[in-house]
Amino acid sequence: KSSDLDHELRQLETQRHQSEKKLQQLREQIAELRVAQTMVQTNRENHWTQIQETGHAFESLALNIPQEVAEAAWQQKLQRIENRIQRLGPINLAAIEEYEKSAARKQYLDSQNHDLTEALTTLETTIRKIDKESRSRLKETFDKANEQYKALFITMFDGGNAELEWVGDEVLSAGVVIRAQPPGKRNTLLHLLSGGEKALTAIALVFALFQLNPAPFCVLDEVDAPLDEANVGRFCRLVKTMSSTIQFLFISHNKTTMEMAQQMVGITMQEPGVSRLVSVDMEQAMAMVG
């Protein structure tokens, strides 16, 4: 019986050693699982922090993950993205700041360009309006001047015909041709007339323009110099007619023209080198003679 008990004891010892060995193995497995659990927990917390830093919500990301997703496929996709990033070369850490400055500069320039475009549109509209008004006023003034010129030409020459003509289609840039036809002559240009005819034609044109916007004074300097006696008489009659509304101051050496004046002022030199101003009131002089 003692041998049986010893045998049974040895079996129990063997079983105890086997149980302790299994227990040690289980303890090691538990320790490994705890380490793995800690690593999983740490990774979970790290991933959670990364998700929060990117501004995403875990719930929305979880809903968007396909059911058939595989980690290997995502790893391959991530590797492709990393390879693309590496091919981009060195990263400029100041790029974001430079982009923000460039974006602000572009916004400022866009605003300036918008303002300039609006100003340009306004100016173009104003220019078109001014051009339209200028064409209308210039044509109206030209027509009035032409009518006055025709009438004064007939008065100066006791007949004939004259007119002003546009040269060009655009009124604002067109030139003007003076046509004159004294009595008994063909219609011709100004440079084909004689000196006296040119002078009378010019006088008629100047007085026609003067009548459009008359001034209280008009100064004439040797206007009658190229005229013969007959044409001087016509010139004097025109000045006499217009003197009812305009005061003429004229310089002349022609007797006929001086006879028309109401007040004469002259320079005399009774002694060599000594000039003297002489003034004569023609009405008083005529009264004294009478």
Side-chain angles (χ1 to χ4, degrees), residues 11-80:
Q11 289 181 347
L12 291 175
E13 286 290 340
T14 302
Q15 291 178 1
R16 184 177 68 81
H17 288 300
Q18 292 177 351
S19 298
E20 289 178 354
K21 186 177 180 180
K22 290 181 179 179
L23 179 60
Q24 183 62 30
Q25 292 176 352
L26 291 175
R27 286 175 178 173
E28 291 176 357
Q29 292 178 0
I30 291 173
E32 292 176 356
L33 291 175
R34 286 177 178 175
V35 172
Q37 182 183 11
T38 302
M39 293 179 61
V40 170
Q41 182 66 26
T42 302
N43 292 334
R44 179 178 179 277
E45 292 177 354
N46 291 335
H47 293 157
W48 183 265
T49 302
Q50 292 177 359
I51 292 174
Q52 290 180 337
E53 290 178 352
T54 56
H56 294 86
F58 175 79
E59 293 77 6
S60 60
L61 291 176
L63 292 175
N64 294 326
I65 295 177
Q67 295 294 333
E68 65 279 2
V69 66
E71 182 180 357
W74 286 101
Q75 289 292 343
Q76 292 178 0
K77 185 175 181 181
L78 178 60
Q79 186 62 41
R80 288 195 299 269

Side-chain angles (χ1 to χ4, degrees), residues 135-151 163-166 171 208-209 212:
R135 290 188 186 93
S136 176
R137 291 191 178 187
L138 181 58
K139 188 176 184 306
E140 180 182 356
T141 303
F142 178 83
D143 293 339
K144 290 181 180 180
N146 200 12
E147 293 299 323
Q148 293 284 353
Y149 171 60
K150 290 178 181 179
E163 64 178 346
L164 303 175
E165 292 183 359
W166 292 113
V171 174
L209 298 175
L212 291 177

Side-chain angles (χ1 to χ4, degrees), residues 121-177:
T121 302
T122 303
L123 287 175
E124 289 176 346
T125 302
T126 304
I127 290 173
R128 287 193 294 268
K129 183 178 179 181
I130 293 174
D131 287 346
K132 182 179 179 181
E133 183 69 18
S134 299
R135 290 188 186 93
S136 176
R137 291 191 178 187
L138 181 58
K139 188 176 184 306
E140 180 182 356
T141 303
F142 178 83
D143 293 339
K144 290 181 180 180
N146 200 12
E147 293 299 323
Q148 293 284 353
Y149 171 60
K150 290 178 181 179
L152 290 177
F153 185 88
I154 294 174
T155 301
M156 296 290 288
F157 284 90
D158 290 331
N161 188 25
E163 64 178 346
L164 303 175
E165 292 183 359
W166 292 113
V167 179
D169 298 330
E170 175 55 46
V171 174
L172 296 179
S173 60
V176 177
V177 171

